Amino acid sequence: MTREQALRKREQLTTRLSPAAGVLRGSLLQRTIHHTSGCLKCARGEGHPLWVLTVGYPGGKTRQVSLRPEQVPQVREAIEHYHQCKQVLEAISELNQFLLRLDREQSKNQERAS
Ligand SMILES: [Zn+2]
């Protein structure tokens, strides 16, 4: 890979990062809650499905956010977007690492030539 190829690839990757404002880290979980009394559904043993966003933090801490059913598609998409952005960032980082090494090689060669 040449410098020009690396720069072009990095440019392409950067366009895939937008809009980064829509990212969300975490995972979707579905739970069922059961009322103890006064609910026909729960009396039949059905319960109510409940969607939760679970987000892990360093140290094993997690935070849970209850979601309304209509929020689920948007949350699912935002989580997917987070993973895409992370992959793109990783790829850009690899390219920048390559460019760093390329710079180092070139300055070494110039030193030798002078
Ligand atoms: Zn119930």
Side-chain angles (χ1 to χ4, degrees), residues 32-91:
T32 309
I33 56 161
H34 296 275
H35 298 116
T36 47
S37 63
C39 177
L40 286 174
K41 269 195 150 189
C42 294
R44 287 198 298 265
E46 289 175 24
H48 308 264
L50 178 74
W51 286 97
V52 180
L53 171 74
T54 322
V55 189
Y57 292 96
K61 279 186 230 161
T62 56
R63 185 179 289 155
Q64 303 206 331
V65 183
S66 300
L67 302 170
R68 295 196 311 272
E70 63 267 29
Q71 288 179 304
V72 173
Q74 151 201 346
V75 165
R76 188 175 278 134
E77 211 170 292
I79 291 172
E80 177 62 26
H81 192 52
Y82 174 81
H83 288 291
Q84 276 172 8
C85 281
K86 218 176 144 187
Q87 278 178 1
V88 172
L89 278 180
E90 194 56 39

Side-chain angles (χ1 to χ4, degrees), residues 13-24:
L13 285 168
T14 312
T15 62
R16 282 173 51 193
L17 272 179
S18 58
V23 302
L24 187 62

